Amino acid sequence: MSELCGIPLRGRFLLAPMAGVTDRAFRQVCREYGAALCCSEMVSARALIHHDEKTARLLPAADEGPCAVQLFGSGADIMAEGARRALERCAPALIDLNMGCPMPKIVDNGDGCALMERPEEAAAIVAAVKRVSPVPVTVKFRAGMDDAHRSAVEFARRLEAAGADALCVHGRTAAQRYAGTSDRAVIAAVRGAVSVPVLASGDALSAAACQAIFAETGADFVMIARGALGNPMLFADCLALDAGLPPPVHTAAEALAALTRQAERMCAEKGERRAIPELRKHGLWYLARLRGARPYKAEMSAVGTLAGLRSLCARMRDDEQIVWKG
């Protein structure tokens, strides 16, 4: 067992928030394989304040395991009120503040990584959310805006002083987005500069990579994002390696069963008409992990019903040419 900000967890591997990806169905599958804590998709504080029900549906359900709400926005009053509204609608394990999204539509609005250029406002947001939140408040941010402005260490110190309970650092700059490699030295520098728990993010693509991240950064936890796409079994691999055991052997049938469970839950949660189009990208991520699945890619891209998805997965399961490659 591990502990983050007083929250007991069954390991050191967390599912990162990913917009349009980490919905309840995907979180459930990852949790089954050992994700110790999951994060919601990015939730707009402004949208919650304006009673946007589509946004409110992104909040975690009461019967989920430990789950964080990740809020994005700017302005201390807006973020505090957004946090209060989120807390009225659900019971998250913690509130995570997004100060690391590098996408232009977020940054150009002054949110996400743009807050790294306004550290005083970022600290004020943390302090304001802390005043209204009975649960821990964490912050996710990046190495900096670009190579000339790698401000993560000073930014981390400001956030800790403002009351942040834990910090998650992605080792890329905003300019890199998701290209290049994550700089683990930046995460290590933040770990050495603050006393609160530090979560490492970036290039957590395999169980071995996660162990290397721990060794090179001294981080307390690793947040897994792209490594889990089409591969929720990665959490089981990480837990095994962390315990000194060999990772479990996975099969194509296991992966296809996980995809089918995820599809069924998405349809139950959102309705088939909405869920199946959203599911196609997940299906393609699963297929990318299966050697020999290329001939089925076009069918997965066009699947239109849950029955069609089940049938496609069954045919792939019976195809002896398809094997798990991870």
Side-chain angles (χ1 to χ4, degrees):
M1 292 292 289
S2 301
E3 185 177 287
L4 172 61
C5 304
I7 304 165
L9 302 176
R10 56 172 180 159
R12 302 194 290 170
F13 307 96
L14 318 181
L15 176 64
M18 290 179 277
V21 176
T22 53
D23 62 5
R24 186 182 182 189
F26 186 60
R27 295 195 300 265
Q28 286 178 311
V29 174
C30 290
R31 191 174 287 112
E32 288 171 356
Y33 280 103
L37 181 141
C38 298
C39 286
S40 71
E41 302 173 64
M42 290 197 310
V43 175
S44 166
R46 291 184 183 89
L48 287 179
I49 292 170
H50 290 101
H51 306 285
D52 184 82
E53 284 303 312
K54 182 178 179 181
T55 297
R57 286 196 292 270
L58 298 176
L59 298 170
D63 60 351
E64 291 193 50
C67 192
V69 168
Q70 193 189 63
L71 284 181
F72 79 95
S74 53
D77 291 343
I78 290 172
M79 291 295 280
E81 182 61 15
R84 191 183 69 79
R85 298 291 179 94
L87 289 160
E88 286 179 348
R89 298 289 296 256
C90 66
L94 56 85
I95 297 287
D96 184 61
L97 305 177
N98 185 313
M99 299 186 186
C101 181
M103 302 311 293
K105 69 178 182 180
I106 300 295
V107 174
D108 291 348
N109 201 41
D111 304 335
C113 252
L115 286 164
M116 295 195 73
E117 297 184 303
R118 309 195 307 277
E120 295 84 0
E121 180 182 344
I125 288 171
V126 171
V129 175
K130 281 287 292 182
R131 284 193 291 270
V132 303
S133 177
V135 300
V137 175
T138 64
V139 188
K140 191 171 189 287
F141 57 98
R142 286 190 166 229
M145 291 303 293
D146 52 41
D147 283 336
H149 302 88
R150 288 179 168 261
S151 58
V153 171
E154 180 55 33
F155 194 70
R157 289 190 178 116
R158 282 179 177 262
L159 300 182
E160 180 183 34
D165 295 292
L167 302 170
C168 179
V169 190
H170 186 114
R172 288 180 175 84
T173 64
Q176 282 182 280
R177 296 193 193 177
Y178 301 98
T181 57
S182 174
D183 185 354
R184 294 173 184 171
V186 170
I187 302 171
V190 171
R191 172 65 285 176
V194 299
S195 59
V196 296
V198 170
L199 290 62
S201 175
D203 294 344
L205 302 175
S206 68
C210 289
Q211 289 299 313
I213 289 170
F214 281 129
E216 294 176 31
T217 67
D220 302 281
F221 296 86
V222 168
M223 263 202 162
I224 297 173
R226 289 179 295 161
L229 300 181
N231 185 18
M233 294 85 80
L234 175 57
F235 290 99
D237 298 344
C238 288
L239 286 175
L241 210 58
D242 214 33
L245 302 171
V249 176
H250 303 296
T251 65
E254 179 186 6
L256 292 166
L259 171 57
T260 302
R261 290 198 309 277
Q262 185 177 337
E264 290 169 346
R265 289 165 179 168
M266 284 182 72
C267 289
E269 183 83 11
K270 304 177 182 181
E272 192 168 337
R273 184 174 179 180
R274 176 184 164 201
I276 292 300
E278 292 183 13
L279 183 77
R280 290 173 191 145
K281 63 176 178 278
H282 286 274
L284 292 172
W285 288 326
Y286 277 90
L287 263 61
R289 308 278 186 175
L290 299 173
R291 186 177 293 110
R294 187 182 183 91
Y296 298 90
K297 184 176 179 180
E299 284 187 75
M300 184 62 74
S301 298
V303 69
T305 64
L306 179 57
L309 186 283
R310 286 175 174 146
S311 175
L312 177 56
C313 287
R315 284 189 287 117
M316 292 170 61
R317 191 168 54 244
D318 293 339
D319 188 335
E320 296 180 356
Q321 301 301 310
I322 297 179
V323 296
W324 174 254
K325 66 178 182 180

